[in-house]
Amino acid sequence: MTSSRPARAVHCWTQRSLDGLGGWDPDRHPARFADAFGHLILELYVRLRRRGRDLTIGPEAPDGTEVLVVLLEEIVSYDGRLQPDAAGALAGAARRVPSIVVVRGDLPLAVSAPSFLTTEVMPNRASIVDTARQRWVPVLAQRGLRPRLRRRGSSVRTLACKGFDFNLPSELRDGSLAEAFAPLGVRVRLDCDPTTWPDFRRIDVALCARRHNDAWDDPRHLRKPATKLVNAWVGGAIPLVAPQAAYLELVRPDQDALVVAHVDEIVESVRRLTTDPELVRRLQQGGAARAREFSADRVLDAWEQLFDDDQPAP
């Protein structure tokens, strides 16, 4: 833990069923609790307890709770409607708990968080508009990652894009990139099945991009964290990142990632990687350093510091 303050009593508030949580090891059973609630609340709860942090979880905050942490979608729906029962129960708890930390998750930024919160954890720094209440905290990499095989060395033979089919850039789905890469000896791998997302064993380059009507810089990307980028670094692949806020605020171009604004730049970047082994080595070394920066221990340090430094708003 990085804060000089004493550890504060933290409660993860939820009205959801917690069946299967007891004894859960996120590393041995990564497919369990695979939604946003599982990643942002349950995994955080389990990993911090395994560190020795005394956390509680459930619909009732014990006496003496100093920090209450909750996922925003527990109390507000995706269309912005308040969920009265949950919001009322949480508001009641807020009257006796000094600090309320709301984790935004994947809700649209137009959906407002409750006024009684102390801190709102945002998906990236660019989405922060209220500097008094909003904070960015690094995300945990996807659990169960299987890193790139060392024997692949500096070879660049496979580019992968991980995500649901409907979120992939159209150039991937229509095969035009695969055709452009063929003369370079590079194949395109589309990992649309979530069970394949943690597997980086035979991936040399990871394309980190989402589409919204094929506008890669669409402002709706502000609601997304840099999970794909962090996964690429921790997984050992060289990231090619679209110019989206969560990526641009973290990457050091040509040092730990390459920025690609459109399909021609993807092709040119892959061509550079297949012909410039020094660039590949530099990006691999830079990515390895960033992987350590976003290791589970470093991310958990940041969350603990948030909990222990968070104070009620004046």
Side-chain angles (χ1 to χ4, degrees):
M1 187 165 56
T2 60
S3 173
S4 60
R5 298 178 183 271
R8 303 171 81 198
V10 178
H11 179 78
C12 298
W13 187 90
T14 181
Q15 293 183 317
R16 301 191 193 199
S17 169
L18 299 175
D19 289 346
L21 182 61
W24 177 47
D25 184 335
D27 297 313
R28 294 185 60 189
H29 303 286
R32 190 182 299 174
F33 305 119
D35 60 0
F37 177 69
H39 184 64
L40 296 171
I41 300 297
L42 296 184
E43 183 176 356
L44 185 65
Y45 166 80
V46 168
R47 291 194 184 281
L48 286 176
R49 282 186 61 86
R50 288 171 61 180
R51 270 186 150 205
R53 182 89 187 208
D54 186 15
L55 278 75
T56 54
I57 191 168
E60 298 291 336
D63 291 341
T65 296
E66 297 171 277
V67 181
L68 192 149
V69 58
V70 61
L71 187 65
L72 183 57
E73 66 184 55
E74 292 274 276
I75 46 179
V76 183
S77 64
Y78 272 73
D79 59 8
R81 289 180 299 175
L82 202 64
Q83 300 181 24
D85 290 345
L90 182 60
R95 286 190 287 270
R96 59 185 182 87
V97 176
S99 297
I100 310 293
V101 175
V102 176
V103 182
R104 172 162 285 276
D106 195 28
L107 286 181
L109 296 180
V111 175
S112 297
S115 60
F116 55 75
L117 65 91
T118 307
T119 297
E120 181 181 9
V121 178
M122 305 299 287
N124 49 67
R125 294 187 183 98
S127 61
I128 294 174
V129 294
D130 181 354
T131 55
R133 293 179 182 269
Q134 293 176 332
R135 293 271 301 276
W136 172 78
V137 182
V139 296
L140 286 163
Q142 185 169 3
R143 64 183 86 114
L145 283 182
R146 286 168 282 178
R148 183 175 180 268
L149 297 172
R150 287 190 177 186
R151 66 171 179 265
R152 295 184 72 84
S154 60
S155 64
V156 176
R157 301 194 302 271
T158 301
L159 176 143
C161 189
K162 295 174 179 289
F164 291 115
D165 179 75
F166 55 82
N167 279 330
L168 299 185
S170 59
E171 296 86 358
L172 286 173
R173 292 179 287 113
D174 66 17
S176 57
L177 266 184
E179 185 176 346
F181 288 161
L184 303 175
V186 176
R187 74 180 184 97
V188 174
R189 173 172 146 179
L190 304 184
D191 285 350
C192 300
D193 180 349
T195 63
T196 66
W197 293 351
D199 189 355
F200 282 82
R201 289 174 296 176
R202 294 172 177 81
I203 295 174
D204 307 309
V205 180
L207 178 61
C208 305
R210 292 174 57 89
R211 67 176 291 271
H212 277 304
N213 299 321
D214 289 329
W216 286 16
D217 58 352
D218 191 294
R220 283 171 289 185
H221 291 302
L222 279 174
R223 72 189 250 195
K224 295 295 182 182
T227 308
K228 291 179 186 292
L229 171 61
V230 171
N231 288 348
W233 280 333
V234 176
I238 295 172
L240 302 187
V241 302
Q244 294 163 12
Y247 302 145
L248 294 180
E249 66 190 26
L250 294 181
V251 301
R252 298 161 187 156
D254 278 15
Q255 300 299 315
D256 51 40
L258 298 177
V259 179
V260 290
H262 49 74
V263 63
D264 291 342
E265 290 189 0
I266 298 176
V267 176
E268 177 56 30
S269 293
V270 172
R271 182 177 289 111
R272 287 179 65 196
L273 293 172
T274 59
T275 58
D276 188 344
E278 178 54 37
L279 174 63
V280 172
R281 283 191 290 271
R282 184 167 71 246
L283 289 166
Q284 288 177 334
Q285 291 170 358
R290 303 309 298 277
R292 292 189 291 272
E293 183 179 333
F294 286 89
S295 67
D297 278 341
R298 296 281 292 274
V299 172
L300 293 174
D301 283 345
W303 280 98
E304 290 211 67
Q305 182 168 350
L306 173 71
F307 294 150
D308 292 335
D309 288 354
D310 185 55
Q311 296 294 321

